[in-house]
Amino acid sequence: MVSETSRVTPISAAPSAAAARARAARRAGDRTSVLLLLPVAMLLIVGLGAVLSSSSVVAIREGADQWFYVKRQIVWILLGTGALIVTTRIPYRWYAKAASGIFALAVFGLVATLVIGDVRGGSRRWIELGPVTLQASEFAKFAQVAFLAAVMTRKEGYLDRFSHLFWPVAGSLTIVGALLLAQPDLGTAILIAATTFAVLAVSAAPLRHVVGLGTLGALFATVLAYAQPYRRARITAFLDPAADPLGVGLQPIQSLVALGTGGWFGVGLGASRARWSFLPNAHTDFIFAIIGEEVGFAGAIVVVALFVFFAIIGMVIAYRASDRFGRLLAAGIVAWLSLQAVVNIGGVAVLIPITGLPLPLVSAGGSAMIVNLAAIGVLVNIARTPAEQDS
Amino acid sequence: MRRPGWRVADLRLVLVAVVHVAAWLAIAARLVDVQGLHAEAFAERGLEQRVRHEELAAKRGTIFDRDGVELAVSISAQTMIANPSQLADPVGVAKLLAPLVGVEEATLVERLTREGSQFAYIARRLEREALDNVVALVESLDLEGVYFIDEPKRVYPAGGLASQIIGFVQDDDGVGLEGLEYEFDEVLAGTPGALVVERDPFGNPIPQGQFLVDPAVPGSDLVLTIDREIEFLAQQALTAAVERTGAIAGTVVVLDVQTGEILAIANTPTFDANDRSNLDVDRFRNRAVTDVYEPGSTLKVVTVAAALEEGVVTPSDVFTVPQKLVIHDKSYTDTARTGEEEMTVAEIVARSSNIGTILIQDQLGNDAHHRYLSAFGLGQVASGQFPGEVDGSLQPVGEWCKTTCGPSTAIGYRVDVTPLQMAAVFAAIANDGVWVEPHIVKEVLPGRGAPEPFEPKRRPVLNAETARTMRLLLQGVVERGTGTRAQIAGYTVGGKTGTTEKFVPGEGYSETDRIASFIGMAPLTEPRIVVAVVLDSPQGELEGGVDLRFGGVSAAPVFAEVAEAALHLLGVAPDAG
């Protein structure tokens, strides 16, 4: 236990000493929180600039003023910051108790989306509520992480029995996955599955079970990906974009053109060419391509570094979490956000097939922004919560 | 207390973190590849899809008459095009626009509904009201997929005036096809400019993109020697004469004798360059320079002038002229004359005696005769400023036969000439013996740089004295000879009639058809203009049995009409009671 001396609270400590230690731990947690929020704030600023540049053309073309998406993004950031402040103050252990309710709410949202949602671009993903649209799948990401963390913590003693592991994992994933595929939104489904796998990986479940489930999930995802023609097309486009440069190959090619045009140092702020209707979804899924074009590799690698920094600090928070649930919840949130960024940028750089996931904290979009910042608030709360005595 | 599972789980957390970082490293490596090592190829592809090299059309030069009035001018017009694949309702758009742009509805529907089409003309070169109406409609409906491009239109404000001289341009690309529009196409066209611009997929320029302009150099303007009013009157007179005499065609040339400037060339039949649909290409010919004829008696002036200049005869020398002369296998006769007569050189000219002229040429000799024919510009292109201008034919003297060649040439056969060449011959006599190159372009006004005036070639052919003598002989023709119908009130006139049997290629000389001509000058005291009138196959007779086929009958009155009007327009003072 040598390696853990700094984190273990001795049983014999006097209450006053314990209080002092708790204060010290909270201060340490505050420092970690600041380190966590630093890249988050910087990514938000980068995102605002990138949204301005990438959305002005499409905004004007849609008949709005060029600041339309930026103004909305500012509103989302403000709302998200409000959510972050709230979640920072909610003791994270509450989510363990509320996990089933949260999960049920997410399922309700996904079902509602399928019933009353809006179809855009062939998918039913949004619920229109006056001027705003809600994306239940964003909330579902958090719900799945919280639910799994709670279940894994509660079943800690039985995890070596496969059925205790299998049914909650497979059950929750099947419900959420099926509802997402019905939209259809394979990207989010795969992301949630991968996040689930990450949560499993850091849990106490036996490695063979984790690997077994992971392999099963991967096989299942591959079959699903190839089952639908449009998904197969995206994979084909990834493998050979030039085969259909104006169809499915359009996005990969234009994305690479944008990145290549940026080169090492970029074409300058606001000077992106791709945003002039060459690259579809420039302000959402492909915002990283615009960043890479305008500020080049030099700027793009900074964005990558910010995400890596965020992931590492997040993992440190998970590592230092005061209890099992905190660790699983923190690791799940970090895995989700970091993986989503990897999948998004990987898609933009045509390292992996395009999945249609936005870049967290950067892409234009409301539901994602609020949920992401709220989840980061949860991370802050985990970081700032001292270990309970004699857990 | 921590359970043993924690330690394993710690390692697994680190493992998950490491996997994450590894994934990010893969992405960073990929970015190095895409944005660094292989950026060039992707950037190149981007340039290919954005950068357009476009041509900036140069404004075509204007053609002016001598007073600066526009004869051919390019006006701005817009062509309406569509990208049918962007049209929400192609059939509706076609039905809406067809009546406004003057295109048949069915045609337009067909153009806009063609499968997979990305480009279609709706209407070309819309101007003024039609354009305004269409633009207003497109704006009010916010029509997508419809565009306007500049495509200037060439118009000819003078309509059917000097049409064969000016010519016209091709409707599609504005390239000169006929007349000066063709001959001076490069000068008029200017040099197109180049535009390098980055455009988005809809064709809009990208503000931050490259934008390089190499402006077009506008085409040069041409100032012609044409006097619009003389041209108009010449055309009127000629058209009327052709109608009156039943001729197939006709040409009038008006020359300024001192400068060689062509004040007018009229041709009949003619056309209006603004509306050339269903026209016979024959009408496009500038017969004054493209068509040759045997000049007949009008060429006798060269024979006589040469003999006078060479000193072999004087005007008062008397020749014994028989009614008929047989040389080798050919017999020459004089019309309207009987028996043998004593005639002076002046009388021979005035009465246009073939035999008398042949006797004079006999004294002159073929070599000297040929020298003068050549010096007067025969057998050579007269101006070189017209497309399709011919040099006619004048055989080298070495190829002349010893028998009939000299005599036939003396009276204007065996030599093919254009009306312009003949006008220049008479202008040389009018201009105290100095031949001046006839020309139509007075000045080229470049888009950039100084005006370039045309300097005509000048060549003395006769002494001023000989020229004056010739003019007196020509005055006799008009006052008491074959050309009395060429007289003008208030001005002294000199000239020569010509009537030749029409040579029909492949058939030989026509029994009935004649080329009737009259070429004259006025005022004789100080000649200012030469007017040449050539009528192709005038028919019929005037009251009193006068045969219209004779130049003195059909062509001389046209001369009088045109010359009188021109002298008045030029402000030339009358010189006769």
Side-chain angles (χ1 to χ4, degrees):
Chain A
M1 302 241 170
V2 180
S3 62
E4 290 180 3
T5 44
S6 61
R7 292 187 61 249
V8 175
T9 312
I11 305 163
S12 60
S16 63
R21 270 192 297 276
R23 275 200 302 280
R26 187 171 284 122
R27 272 201 299 279
D30 286 344
R31 279 197 299 276
T32 316
S33 303
V34 170
L35 285 179
L36 182 77
L37 292 176
L38 207 67
V40 169
M42 290 171 79
L43 284 169
L44 290 176
I45 291 165
V46 168
L48 261 187
V51 167
L52 169 61
S53 180
S54 58
S55 70
S56 55
V57 173
V58 73
I60 290 167
R61 195 148 283 154
E62 285 169 358
D65 74 302
Q66 58 165 327
W67 299 94
F68 178 76
Y69 286 99
V70 182
K71 287 185 203 156
R72 287 175 71 112
Q73 188 75 348
I74 291 170
V75 170
W76 301 135
I77 289 175
L78 291 176
L79 289 175
T81 307
L84 180 142
I85 290 167
V86 170
T87 53
T88 302
R89 287 162 197 280
I90 297 173
Y92 72 87
R93 291 190 185 95
W94 178 79
Y95 303 108
K97 297 188 201 95
S100 299
I102 291 170
F103 188 77
L105 187 64
V107 169
F108 173 76
L110 290 174
V111 171
T113 304
L114 291 177
V115 177
I116 59 167
D118 240 30
V119 178
R120 288 186 216 164
S123 299
R124 197 181 288 277
R125 295 184 186 175
W126 296 268
I127 298 177
E128 209 157 328
L129 278 182
V132 298
T133 52
L134 294 181
Q135 226 178 330
S137 57
E138 292 295 335
F139 181 67
K141 294 172 188 170
F142 176 75
Q144 173 76 359
V145 169
F147 178 74
L148 268 183
V151 171
M152 291 290 134
T153 312
R154 209 176 304 146
K155 297 205 167 206
E156 203 163 276
Y158 318 101
L159 287 180
D160 52 346
R161 283 149 72 179
F162 189 70
S163 61
H164 281 272
L165 181 67
F166 180 79
W167 289 115
V169 173
S172 62
L173 207 50
T174 304
I175 293 168
V176 173
L179 289 170
L180 286 171
L181 289 176
Q183 292 185 354
D185 184 358
L186 181 68
T188 304
I190 287 178
L191 177 71
I192 288 178
T195 307
T196 301
F197 179 71
V199 173
L200 280 182
V202 298
S203 77
L207 196 60
R208 61 177 192 284
H209 291 170
V210 175
V211 173
L213 274 173
T215 313
L216 206 64
L219 278 174
F220 198 54
T222 310
V223 171
L224 282 178
Y226 273 96
Q228 282 287 328
Y230 89 89
R231 290 180 198 130
R232 203 164 48 230
R234 275 188 167 177
I235 294 168
T236 320
F238 164 70
L239 295 173
D240 183 14
D244 185 9
L246 296 176
V248 290
L250 178 74
Q251 285 187 334
I253 287 175
Q254 293 304 329
S255 184
L256 288 175
V257 163
L259 290 174
T261 300
W264 289 115
F265 299 105
V267 295
L269 294 176
S272 163
R273 310 292 200 270
R275 66 187 179 132
W276 289 89
S277 311
F278 287 106
L279 181 59
N281 302 333
H283 61 301
T284 56
D285 298 356
F286 283 88
I287 198 161
F288 187 81
I290 303 297
I291 294 172
E293 185 182 11
E294 294 198 343
V295 294
F297 174 81
I301 202 67
V302 168
V303 173
V304 168
L306 288 172
F307 274 110
V308 172
F309 189 68
F310 168 83
I312 289 173
I313 299 297
M315 289 299 179
V316 167
I317 289 171
Y319 189 87
R320 286 188 187 163
S322 56
D323 63 7
R324 193 62 182 215
F325 176 69
R327 166 173 288 191
L328 293 182
L329 187 59
I333 290 169
V334 172
W336 145 33
L337 293 175
S338 174
L339 271 177
Q340 186 172 333
V342 165
V343 168
N344 174 275
I345 298 178
V348 167
V350 198
L351 189 63
I352 55 173
I354 288 161
T355 46
L357 292 175
L359 186 59
L361 306 174
V362 179
S363 288
S367 304
M369 181 63 75
I370 292 169
V371 173
N372 290 348
L373 285 174
I376 289 165
V378 173
L379 278 181
V380 171
N381 185 269
I382 295 170
R384 294 176 63 184
T385 303
E388 278 179 14
Q389 286 182 27
D390 195 11
S391 49
Chain B
M1 280 299 290
R2 284 167 181 276
R3 297 185 173 83
W6 274 105
R7 276 161 74 189
V8 181
D10 280 348
L11 282 176
R12 281 169 31 183
L13 180 62
V14 172
L15 191 67
V16 167
V18 167
V19 168
H20 267 257
V21 172
W24 281 111
L25 282 177
I27 282 176
R30 174 66 176 173
L31 290 178
V32 169
D33 182 47
V34 172
Q35 299 200 269
L37 308 179
H38 293 100
E40 202 71 11
F42 295 124
E44 193 66 36
R45 179 164 190 145
L47 288 174
E48 270 170 35
Q49 66 188 11
R50 293 192 309 273
V51 178
R52 315 265 180 92
H53 294 263
E54 294 166 9
E55 193 181 276
L56 295 175
K59 188 189 178 298
R60 191 175 177 86
T62 302
I63 300 179
F64 297 104
D65 80 348
R66 63 184 300 120
D67 298 317
V69 178
E70 290 161 341
L71 297 176
V73 63
S74 293
I75 60 169
S76 70
Q78 301 231 295
T79 285
M80 190 180 193
I81 56 172
N83 183 340
S85 69
Q86 291 175 2
L87 293 175
D89 174 18
V91 177
V93 169
K95 288 189 170 163
L96 203 59
L97 291 175
L100 286 176
V101 300
V103 177
E104 288 229 5
E105 188 177 300
T107 313
L108 206 49
V109 168
E110 192 271 326
R111 278 188 215 160
L112 297 185
T113 53
R114 214 167 287 161
E115 193 66 36
S117 169
Q118 303 268 339
F119 177 90
Y121 281 116
I122 293 177
R124 300 193 70 172
R125 297 191 172 84
L126 294 168
E127 41 167 327
R128 296 191 281 266
E129 244 171 278
L131 179 63
D132 292 346
N133 290 343
V134 173
V135 169
L137 181 77
V138 168
E139 276 173 7
S140 70
L141 295 179
D142 209 8
L143 271 183
E144 297 243 357
V146 173
Y147 307 92
F148 291 92
I149 51 173
D150 285 331
E151 216 174 19
K153 181 174 182 168
R154 194 72 164 168
V155 293
Y156 301 94
L161 206 60
S163 308
Q164 294 87 358
I165 296 172
I166 299 161
F168 50 83
V169 299
Q170 186 161 321
D171 282 336
D172 283 349
D173 55 13
V175 170
L177 283 187
E178 291 280 350
L180 295 176
E181 292 272 35
Y182 171 81
E183 189 69 17
F184 286 81
D185 190 51
E186 271 183 41
V187 175
L188 288 163
T191 313
L195 174 66
V196 178
V197 60
E198 286 186 44
R199 293 192 184 279
D200 74 10
F202 300 99
N204 306 307
I206 298 175
Q208 297 88 353
Q210 296 181 47
F211 192 82
L212 299 171
V213 187
D214 177 11
V217 180
S220 304
D221 295 336
L222 296 185
V223 179
L224 304 190
T225 57
I226 290 285
D227 182 307
R228 232 165 96 263
E229 292 175 71
I230 297 176
E231 176 72 33
F232 176 75
L233 287 162
Q235 185 68 56
Q236 293 277 96
L238 176 65
T239 305
V242 165
E243 201 163 304
R244 190 171 62 234
T245 62
I248 299 169
T251 299
V252 170
V253 176
V254 183
L255 273 187
D256 181 310
V257 300
Q258 282 158 29
T259 62
E261 290 172 355
I262 296 169
L263 298 175
I265 288 180
N267 289 287
T268 294
T270 187
F271 68 102
D272 182 346
N274 296 306
D275 179 16
R276 312 191 298 275
S277 45
N278 310 318
L279 276 189
D280 185 354
V281 290
D282 269 3
R283 290 170 180 264
F284 301 155
R285 263 197 350 260
N286 182 4
R287 293 161 195 268
V289 296
T290 61
D291 288 18
V292 293
Y293 69 108
E294 284 173 309
S297 301
T298 53
L299 197 65
K300 289 173 184 165
V301 299
V302 173
T303 314
V304 175
L308 290 171
E309 178 78 13
E310 291 294 305
V312 296
V313 296
T314 65
S316 53
D317 285 359
V318 178
F319 283 81
T320 304
V321 184
Q323 203 273 325
K324 185 177 174 183
L325 187 65
V326 177
I327 301 171
H328 197 57
D329 56 349
K330 197 162 180 165
S331 70
Y332 297 89
T333 53
D334 279 346
T335 46
R337 209 166 61 76
T338 51
E340 195 175 272
E341 271 184 81
E342 302 282 307
M343 294 172 85
T344 62
V345 170
E347 273 180 290
I348 289 169
V349 173
R351 294 167 64 186
S352 199
S353 163
N354 289 339
I355 294 166
T357 311
I358 289 168
L359 296 175
I360 294 171
Q361 197 271 346
D362 187 48
Q363 307 246 314
L364 177 65
N366 287 352
D367 286 330
H369 189 195
H370 181 272
R371 204 162 63 241
Y372 281 89
L373 288 166
S374 188
F376 271 111
L378 302 179
Q380 302 140 51
V381 166
S383 89
Q385 290 183 329
F386 296 98
E389 189 175 353
V390 296
D391 52 8
S393 77
L394 172 65
Q395 267 190 331
V397 71
E399 290 171 22
W400 289 20
C401 55
K402 295 285 177 255
T403 52
T404 59
C405 286
S408 290
T409 307
I411 58 171
Y413 285 87
R414 295 189 68 254
V415 180
D416 287 338
V417 300
T418 65
L420 184 62
Q421 283 174 329
M422 284 311 292
V425 167
F426 277 69
I429 290 166
N431 191 33
D432 284 345
V434 178
W435 181 89
V436 183
E437 186 182 10
H439 56 282
I440 189 73
V441 176
K442 187 180 170 71
E443 219 175 15
V444 176
L445 304 177
R448 293 176 190 161
E452 298 157 8
F454 178 78
E455 298 293 346
K457 289 199 275 281
R458 288 166 189 278
R459 183 168 65 227
V461 181
L462 302 174
N463 271 316
E465 193 55 44
T466 312
R468 193 156 34 243
T469 306
M470 274 311 296
R471 292 204 291 272
L472 289 173
L473 298 184
L474 294 177
Q475 188 173 15
V477 173
V478 174
E479 284 183 356
R480 54 184 182 277
T482 54
T484 51
R485 286 184 170 81
Q487 290 168 10
I488 307 171
Y491 295 94
T492 53
V493 172
K496 186 74 194 74
T497 56
T499 309
T500 47
E501 290 165 4
K502 184 177 179 180
F503 184 81
V504 183
E507 289 179 26
Y509 288 99
S510 168
E511 292 282 325
T512 51
D513 290 348
R514 303 284 183 269
I515 300 291
S517 60
F518 185 90
I519 309 175
M521 60 193 70
L524 273 186
T525 45
E526 197 184 332
R528 179 71 194 276
I529 56 170
V530 158
V531 178
V533 179
V534 181
L535 296 176
D536 179 356
S537 312
Q539 308 284 336
E541 291 187 353
L542 282 181
E543 274 175 48
V546 189
D547 193 343
L548 274 172
R549 295 182 298 170
F550 284 101
V553 179
S554 56
V558 182
F559 165 87
E561 191 180 345
V562 173
E564 181 174 16
L567 290 170
H568 288 155
L569 285 167
L570 293 170
V572 177
D575 67 339

